[in-house]
Amino acid sequence: MGWLLLGAPAWAIQAPSEDVRALVRHLDVTSFPNSIGPRREPGRHHFADYGFTRITWKADGADLELEDRSWLMSVGVVARHGRQLDVCLVDRALAAPGALFGGSYHVVDALRVVMSNADRWRAERVHGGLPGCIDDPPDDRR
């Protein structure tokens, strides 16, 4: 019981905030440039629609992976301004030998997400990054 008074130990899993759960459920991954682009299909808009069903929850974000763990999309909420979230997105893949899609890559993008009552929350890339999220690679030519 004593550890409750001092806070949870570092190894304890923290429950995600409601903003994080809603972001994972509602973010329209087709509303901003990312590696899903070549696979976009009509009627598919969310992480789960593209196979990102393995979720590791964090207090301020979530890691979403394909079942084979070959592709990771990680989201982290860095700030909230009313009905807008500042989000850091990590998009990482490691092509397996004989894979049909692309090579290995690792990109970090800062996003502004407009929260709404609709099923699809739109995002736009914030060139140059945000406090707590620096674009990597830093140039705007991607």
Side-chain angles (χ1 to χ4, degrees), residues 33-40 52 71-73 91-93 105:
N34 62 67
S35 64
I36 291 174
R39 297 179 58 205
R40 288 185 184 163
F52 292 92
W71 193 351
L72 168 79
M73 293 283 229
D91 186 350
R92 182 173 52 114
Y105 57 88

Side-chain angles (χ1 to χ4, degrees), residues 23-61:
L23 178 67
V24 168
R25 190 170 43 249
H26 296 291
L27 181 61
D28 181 350
V29 296
T30 67
S31 68
F32 59 94
N34 62 67
S35 64
I36 291 174
R39 297 179 58 205
R40 288 185 184 163
E41 292 181 20
R44 295 174 73 188
H45 299 279
H46 302 103
F47 288 113
D49 295 336
Y50 289 95
F52 292 92
T53 55
R54 294 181 63 98
I55 303 173
T56 303
W57 296 102
K58 303 174 185 175
D60 62 349

Side-chain angles (χ1 to χ4, degrees), residues 46-108:
H46 302 103
F47 288 113
D49 295 336
Y50 289 95
F52 292 92
T53 55
R54 294 181 63 98
I55 303 173
T56 303
W57 296 102
K58 303 174 185 175
D60 62 349
D63 293 337
L64 300 102
E65 296 177 285
L66 296 183
E67 196 60 37
D68 68 1
R69 296 183 176 210
S70 64
W71 193 351
L72 168 79
M73 293 283 229
S74 180
V75 292
V77 176
V78 294
R80 181 178 183 170
H81 310 281
R83 304 229 11 110
Q84 176 180 289
L85 296 176
D86 288 348
V87 173
C88 197
L89 173 86
V90 176
D91 186 350
R92 182 173 52 114
L94 180 59
L100 297 176
F101 294 103
S104 299
Y105 57 88
H106 184 266
V107 174
V108 178

Side-chain angles (χ1 to χ4, degrees), residues 10-27:
W11 50 263
I13 297 173
Q14 297 181 4
S17 69
E18 287 303 314
D19 284 345
V20 170
R21 286 190 181 278
L23 178 67
V24 168
R25 190 170 43 249
H26 296 291
L27 181 61

